[in-house]
Amino acid sequence: MKRGLLLLLGAILFVAGRAQAQDASVQDDMRFIEELRKQGKSDLALEYLEKVAKNASPELAKALPLEMARTRLEAAGEEPDSAKRLALYGEARDEFQKWLQANPADPHASEVKLDLAHVTVQQGRTQLSRAFLNEDFETEMTPEAGK
């Protein structure tokens, strides 16, 4: 009886310790990704997220889509080529929308909606700057200027 109780207690402690280790590992991964983004290394953060996604724990797998979207948003802001920037904004927008559809009642949903609005604003700014760089923009947008 005592032996069974000791084995049960040992198994419970083992599972609890392993769960805490996984939580710490997930938190470490999230901190690492956040630091990469803060340092302007969003490309490395995306690579790391894609690598980790291959064998992620269930808790990390749940957080990855949102982190990938946020990292793409940061990467788009760092991208000098406006066409690539717009493509990254589009990917981030799609990922944010997909996450919101899958997690509408999540406590982070309001933050994601704000991120989605930020993506839309940045897409508009990028498109406007591209239009200003277009030589025909002034004549197309202001017909009086061409007369």
Side-chain angles (χ1 to χ4, degrees), residues 70-101:
R70 287 183 171 153
T71 304
R72 284 191 210 288
L73 176 58
E74 289 289 326
E78 298 167 3
E79 179 58 51
D81 181 7
S82 61
K84 289 180 185 176
R85 190 176 333 130
L86 284 172
L88 286 168
Y89 282 139
E91 290 176 37
R93 185 191 64 237
D94 293 344
E95 289 173 347
F96 281 132
Q97 287 174 337
K98 223 183 281 186
W99 188 92
L100 273 174
Q101 288 173 351

Side-chain angles (χ1 to χ4, degrees), residues 15-83:
V15 170
R18 190 168 179 195
Q20 286 178 340
Q22 283 181 346
D23 287 346
S25 175
V26 169
Q27 290 173 353
D28 289 343
D29 286 336
M30 292 297 117
R31 270 190 242 122
F32 181 66
I33 293 163
E34 185 64 31
E35 281 301 313
L36 284 174
R37 285 195 306 233
K38 282 181 184 177
Q39 294 177 11
K41 298 176 182 175
S42 297
D43 54 339
L44 292 177
L46 274 173
E47 286 181 35
Y48 183 75
L49 284 167
E50 290 167 358
K51 178 184 166 198
V52 168
K54 294 177 183 171
N55 54 2
S57 67
E59 184 182 349
L60 184 59
K62 183 180 177 187
L64 283 176
L66 183 56
E67 290 303 316
M68 290 186 93
R70 287 183 171 153
T71 304
R72 284 191 210 288
L73 176 58
E74 289 289 326
E78 298 167 3
E79 179 58 51
D81 181 7
S82 61

